[in-house]
Amino acid sequence: MTDVLARLRELRSGDLPTHGGRTLAYVYDSGLSEVDEIAAAAHALASSANGLDPTAFPSLLRMENDLVARAAGLLGGTPDTVGTVTSGGTESCLLAVLAARDARPDVASPSIVLPETAHAAFHKAAHLFGVRKIVVPVDPDTFRADPAAMAAAIDDSTVLVVASAPSYAHGVVDPISEIAAAASARGVRMHVDACIGGWVLPYFAKLGADLPPFDFRVPGVTSISVDLHKYAYCAKGVSVLLHASAELRRTHFFASAAWPGYTMLNPTLQSTRSGGPLAAAWAVVHHLGEDGYLKLASRAREAVERIRAGVAGIPGLRVLGDPVSTLVAFTGSDGFDLFTVADEMKARGWYVQPQFAHGTSPLNLHLTVTAANHGSEPEFLADLAASVEAARAEGPVRVDPDVAAFVAALDPETLTAEQFGGLLAAAGLTGGDGLPERMAPINALLAAAPEPLRERLLVEFLGALYTPSPQ
Ligand SMILES: *Cc1c(COP(=O)(O)O)cnc(C)c1O
């Protein structure tokens, strides 16, 4: 047993660090080592239990109801508020769309209205559930949804209006009240995607931040998603989807008696559901408690304020919009390449996340700041300033003209595996040693590709990555 665990540790040592605040996307670190231990122990206690049948495993039912109650308490819930624990933010968003669609069987071709800054989970929902998406441009300076444009986009086919608190890309909160009022006036459901902000913004407010309400206190808000594996600092695999009433939730439940086995009865997309992530989240949430979360929010808030101010003070960098949460996106003025800045940060031991230009949002770098960043802000900012200088010295990224020509000739509709292989070869990516140290040339190539081609190329890349290991 020690052998396989040693091997696992060795494999894990090649990953980005999940602790210490050096990975500013994907991971959320409280900086408290006991949180991990408690989560791991609780996970082990319940991972063999199956949420498929809550009457067989009442502990899971109890823990789920406890977590939903906590989330509702944090997000302005009423005695009518109900919820469901899901596997993550995407599943919560999918279920909000599914519930809205299936509540309106009278609408022949249902649609959802969303700002262009809404999370890609809603595009996935539209794709999976055959719902049309009406994507509304946001304010080009603030990146916040435009309530008048959102209102104008609602029509008789609209089954759900979506807004973010905050948006992942820019960390800004949409004008929830105005949008909810417009949705409510048309009798349409309104989902607030608080996947990333829902467990931290309420604490920011308690710490004195001036934040307009974005939760169930706002009339017209019918559902809210909040991820526990983000700012509740729980182990991966837990989110909560809250509904203002049980009636609103019913339509994402699924029952099938149409086979000879047990009647399948599922609140989520999963059927067998591990008790592990749920128990881990339950234990962490109860261990940290209100005081614990308030302290963590205070540390994250100080860290993000310092980082934001520091970024704004680095010549050539500009923070996008007015981020009010724990996220910061910044772009660069001419003279250096942001992908190179990301590579330079990587060389200095930090992961920052490149975000491609889309709509009026320019190419930028995204930072997810957590409590673990508290204390190392000066080091981060010094390395960022040095990375910008290094990128300036390096000059523009050179995309091999042959590779660029190859990509320009590709059609996403007809792209074949052979063509993709040819591209990898042309780009010198066939070594089999994973990704190169410097990602800037590849990112520059992807940035130049139209979105449908970029999506297609990345799907092909994913297929190449997920190839069984030679045994
Ligand atoms: C993270 C996030 C999601 C998706 O959550 P996953 O847990 O990654 O599936 C949806 N919306 C927002 C705003 C998010 O930040």
Side-chain angles (χ1 to χ4, degrees):
M1 181 174 101
T2 48
D3 281 1
V4 288
L5 292 184
R7 174 84 186 108
L8 174 55
R9 271 188 208 101
E10 188 193 321
L11 289 172
R12 288 277 292 112
S13 71
D15 294 344
L16 290 177
T18 58
H19 291 84
R22 289 196 158 256
T23 305
L24 287 110
Y26 308 123
V27 301
Y28 301 80
D29 182 12
S30 68
L32 306 170
S33 58
E34 88 271 10
V35 166
D36 271 13
E37 286 161 30
I38 288 165
H43 192 287
L45 278 174
S47 63
S48 56
N50 193 344
L52 170 59
D53 185 347
T55 65
F57 301 99
S59 70
L60 303 187
L61 179 62
R62 173 63 197 268
M63 288 189 277
E64 175 153 348
N65 284 334
D66 282 351
L67 284 180
V68 168
R70 282 281 176 133
L74 207 51
L75 294 166
T78 71
D80 287 336
T81 306
V82 297
T84 296
V85 169
T86 73
S87 64
T90 298
E91 191 179 17
S92 292
C93 298
L94 292 179
L95 292 175
V97 174
L98 180 64
R101 185 197 72 175
D102 283 5
R104 294 296 306 277
D106 55 308
V107 179
S109 174
S111 64
I112 56 176
V113 170
L114 63 160
E116 62 186 345
T117 49
H119 196 277
F122 294 95
H123 296 260
K124 187 172 187 175
H127 168 73
L128 289 176
F129 302 141
V131 169
R132 285 179 302 117
K133 48 191 189 187
I134 309 298
V135 179
V136 180
V138 297
D139 181 289
D141 298 316
T142 64
F143 302 102
R144 298 171 75 220
D146 173 347
M150 295 283 290
I154 301 173
D155 66 21
D156 292 343
S157 74
T158 311
V159 296
L160 185 70
V161 176
V162 174
S164 314
S167 63
Y168 179 84
H170 305 104
V172 299
V173 177
D174 288 332
I176 303 296
S177 301
E178 290 97 315
I179 297 169
S184 161
R186 298 290 296 257
V188 174
R189 292 181 184 218
M190 155 89 186
H191 180 77
V192 175
D193 182 4
C195 277
I196 201 159
W199 214 278
V200 68
L201 290 180
Y203 293 103
F204 276 21
K206 286 177 198 180
L207 291 164
D210 181 21
L211 288 170
F214 62 89
D215 55 20
F216 286 122
R217 288 170 295 164
V218 177
V221 170
T222 56
S223 58
I224 304 178
S225 48
V226 52
D227 295 350
L228 271 60
H229 60 205
K230 289 180 180 161
Y231 286 94
Y233 297 107
C234 296
K236 293 275 184 280
V238 185
S239 168
V240 172
L241 172 61
L242 296 171
H243 291 279
S245 74
E247 180 62 28
L248 292 164
R249 179 180 62 177
R250 180 175 303 117
T251 39
H252 72 65
F253 284 4
F254 178 79
S256 180
W259 72 308
Y262 56 86
T263 297
M264 198 164 92
L265 187 55
N266 302 148
T268 71
L269 297 175
Q270 294 184 310
S271 191
T272 285
R273 282 200 290 163
S274 169
L278 171 67
W282 184 86
V284 168
V285 162
H286 284 91
H287 169 73
L288 286 171
E290 281 296 296
D291 284 357
Y293 283 115
L294 201 58
K295 283 194 195 111
L296 289 169
S298 162
R299 290 170 75 78
R301 188 166 176 232
E302 274 178 31
V304 75
E305 280 173 2
R306 288 176 193 154
I307 287 176
R308 178 191 174 164
V311 167
I314 295 174
L317 297 186
R318 178 169 64 85
V319 171
L320 294 178
D322 180 16
V324 293
S325 65
T326 48
L327 316 170
V328 176
F330 60 91
T331 190
S333 53
D334 289 343
F336 60 92
D337 180 81
L338 279 175
F339 294 131
T340 305
V341 173
D343 283 343
E344 290 292 332
M345 285 299 275
K346 187 91 185 285
R348 289 166 176 78
W350 303 92
Y351 179 82
V352 298
Q353 189 175 50
Q355 298 188 129
F356 292 111
H358 178 81
T360 56
S361 182
L363 167 64
N364 65 84
L365 297 177
H366 168 106
L367 310 174
T368 293
V369 178
T370 66
N373 291 100
H374 193 266
S376 60
E377 304 91 336
E379 196 193 341
F380 172 82
L381 292 166
D383 279 340
L384 182 58
S387 295
V388 170
E389 278 324 300
R392 231 187 261 286
E394 208 146 320
V397 187
R398 256 189 45 80
V399 175
D400 184 326
D402 288 348
V403 178
F406 196 118
V407 169
L410 294 175
D411 174 356
E413 300 282 336
T414 58
L415 184 83
T416 63
E418 287 68 33
Q419 283 178 320
F420 185 70
L423 175 61
L424 288 186
L429 284 175
T430 46
D433 301 327
L435 292 173
E437 273 301 303
R438 309 287 290 188
M439 285 296 290
I442 294 172
N443 280 327
L445 198 64
L446 288 170
E451 283 171 14
L453 178 59
R454 193 188 310 151
E455 290 165 354
R456 186 69 183 81
L457 287 172
L458 288 170
V459 164
E460 210 54 50
F461 175 62
L462 203 60
L465 283 179
Y466 286 108
T467 301
S469 345
Q471 296 294 307

